[in-house]
Amino acid sequence: MLNIGFGEMVVIAGAALIVIGPERLPATARFVGHLYGRLMRQAASVRAEIKKEMDIEDMRRTMRETEQAARQAVEEVREPVAEIADQARLEPEAELAPPKPPSAAPTNE
């Protein structure tokens, strides 16, 4: 992340030893390490949140595309269905009416 080489680390450690002193250097190094760890966890959390939001946006885009395709399919089917319904209405009613049950004839017993 920071691209710090070995030589640069030696210079930073030497400057920290002079400025902070040998007594407080270990505690300060632990503190800086702790802060660095928290910073990395926060960065990972932000990255995960951004990825989650991007995934949600992708799902929304896919849903919109699917809804549009469904609407198109309904429009394509609507005309043939309307033609079939019109043809069914044009047929004579006698053919569409259910047959009448046979009348009950008296039986000789």
mmCIF file with all atom_site columns, all heavy atoms in Angstrom, residues 6 8 13 15-16 24 32-33 38 42 53 61 82 90 92 108:
data_model
loop_
_atom_site.group_PDB
_atom_site.id
_atom_site.type_symbol
_atom_site.label_atom_id
_atom_site.label_alt_id
_atom_site.label_comp_id
_atom_site.label_asym_id
_atom_site.label_entity_id
_atom_site.label_seq_id
_atom_site.pdbx_PDB_ins_code
_atom_site.Cartn_x
_atom_site.Cartn_y
_atom_site.Cartn_z
_atom_site.occupancy
_atom_site.B_iso_or_equiv
_atom_site.pdbx_formal_charge
_atom_site.auth_seq_id
_atom_site.auth_comp_id
_atom_site.auth_asym_id
_atom_site.auth_atom_id
_atom_site.pdbx_PDB_model_num
ATOM 1   N N   . PHE A 1 6   ? 13.281  -1.171  2.280   1.00 0.00 ? 6   PHE A N   1
ATOM 2   C CA  . PHE A 1 6   ? 14.043  -1.442  3.490   1.00 0.00 ? 6   PHE A CA  1
ATOM 3   C C   . PHE A 1 6   ? 14.850  -0.212  3.926   1.00 0.00 ? 6   PHE A C   1
ATOM 4   O O   . PHE A 1 6   ? 14.898  0.121   5.111   1.00 0.00 ? 6   PHE A O   1
ATOM 5   C CB  . PHE A 1 6   ? 14.977  -2.640  3.267   1.00 0.00 ? 6   PHE A CB  1
ATOM 6   C CG  . PHE A 1 6   ? 15.796  -2.984  4.475   1.00 0.00 ? 6   PHE A CG  1
ATOM 7   C CD1 . PHE A 1 6   ? 15.197  -3.581  5.572   1.00 0.00 ? 6   PHE A CD1 1
ATOM 8   C CD2 . PHE A 1 6   ? 17.149  -2.699  4.518   1.00 0.00 ? 6   PHE A CD2 1
ATOM 9   C CE1 . PHE A 1 6   ? 15.945  -3.890  6.699   1.00 0.00 ? 6   PHE A CE1 1
ATOM 10  C CE2 . PHE A 1 6   ? 17.898  -3.005  5.636   1.00 0.00 ? 6   PHE A CE2 1
ATOM 11  C CZ  . PHE A 1 6   ? 17.297  -3.610  6.730   1.00 0.00 ? 6   PHE A CZ  1
ATOM 12  N N   . GLU A 1 8   ? 14.267  2.922   3.406   1.00 0.00 ? 8   GLU A N   1
ATOM 13  C CA  . GLU A 1 8   ? 13.373  3.948   3.949   1.00 0.00 ? 8   GLU A CA  1
ATOM 14  C C   . GLU A 1 8   ? 12.916  3.579   5.354   1.00 0.00 ? 8   GLU A C   1
ATOM 15  O O   . GLU A 1 8   ? 12.769  4.447   6.219   1.00 0.00 ? 8   GLU A O   1
ATOM 16  C CB  . GLU A 1 8   ? 12.173  4.133   3.026   1.00 0.00 ? 8   GLU A CB  1
ATOM 17  C CG  . GLU A 1 8   ? 12.567  4.695   1.665   1.00 0.00 ? 8   GLU A CG  1
ATOM 18  C CD  . GLU A 1 8   ? 11.507  4.469   0.607   1.00 0.00 ? 8   GLU A CD  1
ATOM 19  O OE1 . GLU A 1 8   ? 10.713  3.525   0.751   1.00 0.00 ? 8   GLU A OE1 1
ATOM 20  O OE2 . GLU A 1 8   ? 11.497  5.238   -0.366  1.00 0.00 ? 8   GLU A OE2 1
ATOM 21  N N   . ALA A 1 13  ? 12.995  4.362   11.213  1.00 0.00 ? 13  ALA A N   1
ATOM 22  C CA  . ALA A 1 13  ? 13.278  3.796   12.534  1.00 0.00 ? 13  ALA A CA  1
ATOM 23  C C   . ALA A 1 13  ? 14.352  4.613   13.251  1.00 0.00 ? 13  ALA A C   1
ATOM 24  O O   . ALA A 1 13  ? 14.251  4.872   14.462  1.00 0.00 ? 13  ALA A O   1
ATOM 25  C CB  . ALA A 1 13  ? 13.712  2.339   12.405  1.00 0.00 ? 13  ALA A CB  1
ATOM 26  N N   . ALA A 1 15  ? 15.054  7.831   12.794  1.00 0.00 ? 15  ALA A N   1
ATOM 27  C CA  . ALA A 1 15  ? 14.471  9.119   13.182  1.00 0.00 ? 15  ALA A CA  1
ATOM 28  C C   . ALA A 1 15  ? 13.546  8.931   14.374  1.00 0.00 ? 15  ALA A C   1
ATOM 29  O O   . ALA A 1 15  ? 13.543  9.757   15.309  1.00 0.00 ? 15  ALA A O   1
ATOM 30  C CB  . ALA A 1 15  ? 13.712  9.719   11.999  1.00 0.00 ? 15  ALA A CB  1
ATOM 31  N N   . ALA A 1 16  ? 12.774  7.852   14.395  1.00 0.00 ? 16  ALA A N   1
ATOM 32  C CA  . ALA A 1 16  ? 11.878  7.598   15.528  1.00 0.00 ? 16  ALA A CA  1
ATOM 33  C C   . ALA A 1 16  ? 12.680  7.341   16.793  1.00 0.00 ? 16  ALA A C   1
ATOM 34  O O   . ALA A 1 16  ? 12.304  7.798   17.877  1.00 0.00 ? 16  ALA A O   1
ATOM 35  C CB  . ALA A 1 16  ? 10.975  6.400   15.221  1.00 0.00 ? 16  ALA A CB  1
ATOM 36  N N   . ARG A 1 24  ? 10.513  4.760   25.107  1.00 0.00 ? 24  ARG A N   1
ATOM 37  C CA  . ARG A 1 24  ? 9.125   4.827   24.654  1.00 0.00 ? 24  ARG A CA  1
ATOM 38  C C   . ARG A 1 24  ? 8.915   4.271   23.249  1.00 0.00 ? 24  ARG A C   1
ATOM 39  O O   . ARG A 1 24  ? 7.781   4.165   22.788  1.00 0.00 ? 24  ARG A O   1
ATOM 40  C CB  . ARG A 1 24  ? 8.655   6.268   24.695  1.00 0.00 ? 24  ARG A CB  1
ATOM 41  C CG  . ARG A 1 24  ? 8.610   6.808   26.105  1.00 0.00 ? 24  ARG A CG  1
ATOM 42  C CD  . ARG A 1 24  ? 8.000   8.171   26.239  1.00 0.00 ? 24  ARG A CD  1
ATOM 43  N NE  . ARG A 1 24  ? 7.881   8.931   25.000  1.00 0.00 ? 24  ARG A NE  1
ATOM 44  C CZ  . ARG A 1 24  ? 7.722   10.232  24.951  1.00 0.00 ? 24  ARG A CZ  1
ATOM 45  N NH1 . ARG A 1 24  ? 7.671   10.931  26.044  1.00 0.00 ? 24  ARG A NH1 1
ATOM 46  N NH2 . ARG A 1 24  ? 7.610   10.852  23.801  1.00 0.00 ? 24  ARG A NH2 1
ATOM 47  N N   . VAL A 1 32  ? 1.321   2.572   17.025  1.00 0.00 ? 32  VAL A N   1
ATOM 48  C CA  . VAL A 1 32  ? 1.247   2.852   15.585  1.00 0.00 ? 32  VAL A CA  1
ATOM 49  C C   . VAL A 1 32  ? 0.762   1.596   14.842  1.00 0.00 ? 32  VAL A C   1
ATOM 50  O O   . VAL A 1 32  ? -0.055  1.692   13.920  1.00 0.00 ? 32  VAL A O   1
ATOM 51  C CB  . VAL A 1 32  ? 2.617   3.326   15.050  1.00 0.00 ? 32  VAL A CB  1
ATOM 52  C CG1 . VAL A 1 32  ? 2.638   3.369   13.532  1.00 0.00 ? 32  VAL A CG1 1
ATOM 53  C CG2 . VAL A 1 32  ? 2.941   4.708   15.607  1.00 0.00 ? 32  VAL A CG2 1
ATOM 54  N N   . GLY A 1 33  ? 1.230   0.430   15.253  1.00 0.00 ? 33  GLY A N   1
ATOM 55  C CA  . GLY A 1 33  ? 0.770   -0.815  14.644  1.00 0.00 ? 33  GLY A CA  1
ATOM 56  C C   . GLY A 1 33  ? -0.723  -1.029  14.864  1.00 0.00 ? 33  GLY A C   1
ATOM 57  O O   . GLY A 1 33  ? -1.445  -1.467  13.960  1.00 0.00 ? 33  GLY A O   1
ATOM 58  N N   . ARG A 1 38  ? -6.274  -0.845  12.648  1.00 0.00 ? 38  ARG A N   1
ATOM 59  C CA  . ARG A 1 38  ? -7.630  -0.270  12.615  1.00 0.00 ? 38  ARG A CA  1
ATOM 60  C C   . ARG A 1 38  ? -7.908  0.392   11.272  1.00 0.00 ? 38  ARG A C   1
ATOM 61  O O   . ARG A 1 38  ? -9.006  0.271   10.727  1.00 0.00 ? 38  ARG A O   1
ATOM 62  C CB  . ARG A 1 38  ? -7.796  0.749   13.740  1.00 0.00 ? 38  ARG A CB  1
ATOM 63  C CG  . ARG A 1 38  ? -7.936  0.103   15.101  1.00 0.00 ? 38  ARG A CG  1
ATOM 64  C CD  . ARG A 1 38  ? -8.087  1.099   16.209  1.00 0.00 ? 38  ARG A CD  1
ATOM 65  N NE  . ARG A 1 38  ? -9.258  1.949   16.022  1.00 0.00 ? 38  ARG A NE  1
ATOM 66  C CZ  . ARG A 1 38  ? -9.520  3.013   16.763  1.00 0.00 ? 38  ARG A CZ  1
ATOM 67  N NH1 . ARG A 1 38  ? -8.693  3.349   17.744  1.00 0.00 ? 38  ARG A NH1 1
ATOM 68  N NH2 . ARG A 1 38  ? -10.593 3.730   16.556  1.00 0.00 ? 38  ARG A NH2 1
ATOM 69  N N   . GLN A 1 42  ? -10.865 -0.629  8.694   1.00 0.00 ? 42  GLN A N   1
ATOM 70  C CA  . GLN A 1 42  ? -11.829 0.363   8.206   1.00 0.00 ? 42  GLN A CA  1
ATOM 71  C C   . GLN A 1 42  ? -11.834 0.407   6.680   1.00 0.00 ? 42  GLN A C   1
ATOM 72  O O   . GLN A 1 42  ? -12.897 0.482   6.053   1.00 0.00 ? 42  GLN A O   1
ATOM 73  C CB  . GLN A 1 42  ? -11.508 1.757   8.756   1.00 0.00 ? 42  GLN A CB  1
ATOM 74  C CG  . GLN A 1 42  ? -11.823 1.929   10.214  1.00 0.00 ? 42  GLN A CG  1
ATOM 75  C CD  . GLN A 1 42  ? -13.323 1.931   10.463  1.00 0.00 ? 42  GLN A CD  1
ATOM 76  O OE1 . GLN A 1 42  ? -14.127 2.172   9.577   1.00 0.00 ? 42  GLN A OE1 1
ATOM 77  N NE2 . GLN A 1 42  ? -13.693 1.646   11.695  1.00 0.00 ? 42  GLN A NE2 1
ATOM 78  N N   . GLU A 1 53  ? -22.918 -2.303  -2.355  1.00 0.00 ? 53  GLU A N   1
ATOM 79  C CA  . GLU A 1 53  ? -23.763 -1.324  -3.046  1.00 0.00 ? 53  GLU A CA  1
ATOM 80  C C   . GLU A 1 53  ? -23.709 -1.529  -4.560  1.00 0.00 ? 53  GLU A C   1
ATOM 81  O O   . GLU A 1 53  ? -24.738 -1.411  -5.233  1.00 0.00 ? 53  GLU A O   1
ATOM 82  C CB  . GLU A 1 53  ? -23.347 0.105   -2.694  1.00 0.00 ? 53  GLU A CB  1
ATOM 83  C CG  . GLU A 1 53  ? -23.679 0.506   -1.274  1.00 0.00 ? 53  GLU A CG  1
ATOM 84  C CD  . GLU A 1 53  ? -25.166 0.535   -1.014  1.00 0.00 ? 53  GLU A CD  1
ATOM 85  O OE1 . GLU A 1 53  ? -25.940 0.913   -1.919  1.00 0.00 ? 53  GLU A OE1 1
ATOM 86  O OE2 . GLU A 1 53  ? -25.568 0.165   0.098   1.00 0.00 ? 53  GLU A OE2 1
ATOM 87  N N   . ARG A 1 61  ? -30.398 -3.161  -11.835 1.00 0.00 ? 61  ARG A N   1
ATOM 88  C CA  . ARG A 1 61  ? -30.319 -3.015  -13.288 1.00 0.00 ? 61  ARG A CA  1
ATOM 89  C C   . ARG A 1 61  ? -30.848 -4.283  -13.967 1.00 0.00 ? 61  ARG A C   1
ATOM 90  O O   . ARG A 1 61  ? -31.622 -4.204  -14.923 1.00 0.00 ? 61  ARG A O   1
ATOM 91  C CB  . ARG A 1 61  ? -28.883 -2.756  -13.717 1.00 0.00 ? 61  ARG A CB  1
ATOM 92  C CG  . ARG A 1 61  ? -28.753 -2.463  -15.193 1.00 0.00 ? 61  ARG A CG  1
ATOM 93  C CD  . ARG A 1 61  ? -27.317 -2.168  -15.659 1.00 0.00 ? 61  ARG A CD  1
ATOM 94  N NE  . ARG A 1 61  ? -26.528 -1.397  -14.743 1.00 0.00 ? 61  ARG A NE  1
ATOM 95  C CZ  . ARG A 1 61  ? -25.480 -1.883  -14.051 1.00 0.00 ? 61  ARG A CZ  1
ATOM 96  N NH1 . ARG A 1 61  ? -25.125 -3.147  -14.179 1.00 0.00 ? 61  ARG A NH1 1
ATOM 97  N NH2 . ARG A 1 61  ? -24.776 -1.107  -13.249 1.00 0.00 ? 61  ARG A NH2 1
ATOM 98  N N   . ALA A 1 82  ? -55.569 -11.379 -28.789 1.00 0.00 ? 82  ALA A N   1
ATOM 99  C CA  . ALA A 1 82  ? -56.749 -10.582 -29.136 1.00 0.00 ? 82  ALA A CA  1
ATOM 100 C C   . ALA A 1 82  ? -57.381 -11.101 -30.425 1.00 0.00 ? 82  ALA A C   1
ATOM 101 O O   . ALA A 1 82  ? -58.613 -11.164 -30.545 1.00 0.00 ? 82  ALA A O   1
ATOM 102 C CB  . ALA A 1 82  ? -56.369 -9.115  -29.284 1.00 0.00 ? 82  ALA A CB  1
ATOM 103 N N   . LEU A 1 90  ? -66.735 -14.492 -33.062 1.00 0.00 ? 90  LEU A N   1
ATOM 104 C CA  . LEU A 1 90  ? -67.425 -14.504 -34.340 1.00 0.00 ? 90  LEU A CA  1
ATOM 105 C C   . LEU A 1 90  ? -68.106 -15.839 -34.630 1.00 0.00 ? 90  LEU A C   1
ATOM 106 O O   . LEU A 1 90  ? -68.982 -15.906 -35.484 1.00 0.00 ? 90  LEU A O   1
ATOM 107 C CB  . LEU A 1 90  ? -66.438 -14.178 -35.471 1.00 0.00 ? 90  LEU A CB  1
ATOM 108 C CG  . LEU A 1 90  ? -65.863 -12.764 -35.452 1.00 0.00 ? 90  LEU A CG  1
ATOM 109 C CD1 . LEU A 1 90  ? -64.852 -12.608 -36.572 1.00 0.00 ? 90  LEU A CD1 1
ATOM 110 C CD2 . LEU A 1 90  ? -66.962 -11.720 -35.583 1.00 0.00 ? 90  LEU A CD2 1
ATOM 111 N N   . PRO A 1 92  ? -70.681 -18.976 -34.364 1.00 0.00 ? 92  PRO A N   1
ATOM 112 C CA  . PRO A 1 92  ? -72.090 -18.988 -33.953 1.00 0.00 ? 92  PRO A CA  1
ATOM 113 C C   . PRO A 1 92  ? -72.226 -19.492 -32.517 1.00 0.00 ? 92  PRO A C   1
ATOM 114 O O   . PRO A 1 92  ? -71.473 -20.331 -32.062 1.00 0.00 ? 92  PRO A O   1
ATOM 115 C CB  . PRO A 1 92  ? -72.764 -19.937 -34.937 1.00 0.00 ? 92  PRO A CB  1
ATOM 116 C CG  . PRO A 1 92  ? -71.722 -20.429 -35.861 1.00 0.00 ? 92  PRO A CG  1
ATOM 117 C CD  . PRO A 1 92  ? -70.416 -19.821 -35.500 1.00 0.00 ? 92  PRO A CD  1
ATOM 118 N N   . ASN A 1 108 ? -91.708 -48.219 -19.107 1.00 0.00 ? 108 ASN A N   1
ATOM 119 C CA  . ASN A 1 108 ? -92.778 -49.153 -18.779 1.00 0.00 ? 108 ASN A CA  1
ATOM 120 C C   . ASN A 1 108 ? -92.216 -50.263 -17.913 1.00 0.00 ? 108 ASN A C   1
ATOM 121 O O   . ASN A 1 108 ? -91.402 -51.041 -18.338 1.00 0.00 ? 108 ASN A O   1
ATOM 122 C CB  . ASN A 1 108 ? -93.406 -49.774 -20.049 1.00 0.00 ? 108 ASN A CB  1
ATOM 123 C CG  . ASN A 1 108 ? -94.108 -48.724 -20.845 1.00 0.00 ? 108 ASN A CG  1
ATOM 124 O OD1 . ASN A 1 108 ? -94.514 -47.705 -20.298 1.00 0.00 ? 108 ASN A OD1 1
ATOM 125 N ND2 . ASN A 1 108 ? -94.283 -48.989 -22.115 1.00 0.00 ? 108 ASN A ND2 1
#
